[in-house]
Amino acid sequence: MEPRDSISVYTDDRYAGKIYRNDEKKSLVLLGEFERLGLLVENMGRINYGPQMHDYKGIISEVVLEGEELTRGAFWDVWCLPLNNTKKADFKAIPTKLPGPGSLFRGRLVVQGQPADTWAKLVNFKKGILFVNGHNLGRYWPGAGPQQHLYVPGVWLKEGANEVIVLELDEVPATKTQLKIEFVDRPDVGKCSEH
């Protein structure tokens, strides 16, 4: 299977692993029997130069299970995960053991007084997308860096409760108490390298 750019693999809704486009071996050993195979494909942006200029996205080759090709339509299909309306999401209380990649988390930021520009620091989150009051603030991936915080314009905040939603695309720590978002008054854009 050729992923563009990463695929989170699930068997019967349980996370089984991830395949990245840069992995040397683009396969995954699935243990045990299962009824349903789920693939969450992430588009990480386009390459706009050089030999990979035509950077198609999604699953760009056959899906093979136990040596047999699974044809689209008969065995699998594709759905878009619309991120332009997070109000349709079905949020539940976070279980003791956190769900795997592809999880949506919702919280709130309470602003007292006039809202001002701030930066969001996602603590123990690994890679994903942050929304505040329905606005997509962008992707975070502190492990890849260099940027460590996301800018939150004050005009997108309001006095009182503000909705914060995180789409986490990687594995997170084992307990919900380890996850938090800090809103800080200075950005961390990472270390600059000299050329």
Side-chain angles (χ1 to χ4, degrees), residues 9-102:
V9 180
Y10 301 83
T11 55
D12 293 333
D13 296 328
R14 286 188 303 271
Y15 179 65
K18 186 172 279 223
I19 304 169
Y20 278 103
R21 74 181 291 164
N22 294 337
D23 290 346
E24 191 173 312
K25 184 177 180 186
K26 293 178 178 62
S27 64
L28 193 63
V29 175
L30 303 175
L31 303 174
E33 294 185 14
F34 55 90
E35 293 289 320
R36 202 167 73 158
L37 177 67
L39 305 173
L40 175 61
V41 181
E42 179 192 5
N43 169 354
M44 293 168 43
R46 301 254 182 234
I47 296 173
N48 61 0
Y49 64 92
Q52 294 178 331
M53 181 73 150
H54 301 288
D55 191 25
Y56 299 103
K57 297 299 176 177
I59 301 171
I60 62 167
S61 66
E62 59 280 334
V63 175
V64 177
L65 183 63
E66 295 182 344
E68 185 177 328
E69 182 179 341
L70 305 178
T71 56
R72 182 175 172 188
F75 292 99
W76 63 281
D77 213 336
V78 175
W79 291 277
C80 178
L81 181 60
L83 297 176
N84 59 346
N85 187 356
T86 54
K87 292 183 185 343
K88 292 182 178 181
D90 182 21
F91 291 99
K92 298 178 176 111
I94 299 175
T96 305
K97 185 179 183 326
L98 292 173

Side-chain angles (χ1 to χ4, degrees), residues 2-3 7 59 65 74 76 81 91 110 123 133 137 147 173-174 181 184:
E2 181 67 33
I7 300 175
I59 301 171
L65 183 63
W76 63 281
L81 181 60
F91 291 99
V110 177
V123 178
N133 292 332
L137 296 180
Q147 179 178 324
I181 301 175
V184 297

Side-chain angles (χ1 to χ4, degrees), residues 135-167:
H135 296 283
N136 183 339
L137 296 180
R139 299 172 192 242
Y140 63 89
W141 194 1
Q147 179 178 324
Q148 300 298 304
H149 298 164
L150 289 174
Y151 175 63
V152 184
V155 296
W156 286 357
L157 298 172
K158 61 186 180 194
E159 187 172 1
N162 293 268
E163 182 181 58
V164 178
I165 294 178
V166 176
L167 170 59

